[in-house]
């Protein structure tokens, strides 16, 4: 599995700063954080203590994992910057946040979330399609949360705006363990890392 320098394999997780309406979302975030730590991997995420963000970080920490959080100054109060992390980096802008998270990651996973989660997922997916990186991208489809989105993406393919190869870049699973196993397998052939400051 490809890593950079001596740091552990790192998974960037995008997720909501709210818990959402289904307790399964919270349980999935906790399970994912724990499993990342149990694999000896590092969690990279948005640095907040609230919502699913806080749940995935707390679970990874409780399992003895290493957690890097990256949060913009403007959101540190709103998202309640997590002070118990292995490392919390405060950056000036959202662009700096996304760049720092991407540069620290060997793979990307999206949990349920809102506008920010969707924007981050589609951005890193677009970067992969354009060849700026070759790290795997996973979608944890908890309780069918993303079913309608995935259906819409099929419509975009049928309408000629997305092709099957682009769709295949996104690995979708409902089970956290299965998704992490897919990510691990895909990471074996991931070799290229981009300077995300140039994107």
């Amino acid at each position: 599995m490809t890593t950079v320098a001596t740091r552990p394999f790192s998974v960037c997780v995008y997720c909501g700063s709210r818990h959402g309406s289904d307790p399964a979302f919270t349980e999935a975030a906790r399970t994912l954080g724990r499993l990342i730590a149990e694999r000896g991997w590092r969690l990279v995420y948005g640095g907040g203590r609230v919502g699913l963000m806080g749940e995935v970080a707390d679970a990874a920490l409780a399992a003895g994992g290493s957690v890097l959080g990256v949060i913009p100054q403007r959101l540190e109060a709103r998202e309640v910057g997590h002070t118990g992390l292995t490392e919390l980096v405060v950056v000036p802008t959202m662009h700096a946040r996304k760049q720092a998270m991407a540069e620290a990651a060997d793979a990307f996973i999206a949990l349920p979330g809102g506008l920010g989660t969707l924007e981050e997922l589609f951005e890193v997916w677009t970067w992969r399609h354009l060849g700026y990186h070759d790290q795997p991208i996973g979608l944890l489809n908890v309780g069918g949360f993303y079913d309608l989105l995935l259906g819409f993406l099929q419509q975009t393919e049928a309408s000629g705006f997305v092709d099957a190869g682009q769709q295949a870049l996104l690995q979708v699973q409902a089970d956290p363990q299965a998704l992490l196993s897919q990510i691990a397998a895909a990471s074996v052939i991931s070799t290229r890392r981009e300077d995300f400051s140039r994107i």
Side-chain angles (χ1 to χ4, degrees), residues 21-100:
S21 59
D22 190 338
F25 302 152
T26 295
E27 185 57 35
R30 291 172 179 167
T31 300
L32 184 67
R34 174 178 58 81
L35 291 174
I36 287 172
E38 288 177 354
R39 286 175 176 261
W41 295 356
R42 179 178 68 161
L43 169 67
V44 177
Y45 85 116
R49 194 179 193 108
V50 295
L52 299 187
M53 295 173 70
E55 298 289 352
V56 70
D58 286 341
L61 291 167
S66 174
V67 180
L68 167 64
V70 184
I71 194 166
Q73 294 169 340
R74 188 170 181 178
L75 293 184
E76 191 174 8
R78 181 187 303 177
E79 295 182 353
V80 191
H82 200 313
T83 58
L85 305 178
T86 310
E87 182 180 4
L88 178 65
V89 177
V90 180
V91 294
T93 66
M94 283 294 291
H95 291 295
R97 178 198 223 178
K98 291 187 291 183
Q99 178 186 335

Side-chain angles (χ1 to χ4, degrees), residues 87-161:
E87 182 180 4
L88 178 65
V89 177
V90 180
V91 294
T93 66
M94 283 294 291
H95 291 295
R97 178 198 223 178
K98 291 187 291 183
Q99 178 186 335
M101 291 170 68
E103 289 179 344
D106 299 297
F108 304 89
I109 291 176
L111 279 161
L115 297 177
T117 301
L118 292 170
E119 187 263 346
E120 289 166 325
L121 169 64
F122 277 97
E123 183 170 59
V124 78
W125 191 0
T126 300
W127 291 346
R128 173 75 191 267
H129 161 61
L130 295 175
Y132 284 104
H133 70 89
D134 64 359
Q135 285 97 313
I137 305 167
L139 186 68
L140 192 58
N141 189 22
V142 182
F145 177 79
Y146 283 112
D147 283 354
L148 291 175
L149 176 63
L150 293 169
F152 174 71
L153 290 169
Q154 290 295 325
Q155 179 182 327
T156 65
E157 182 178 342
S159 299
F161 291 103

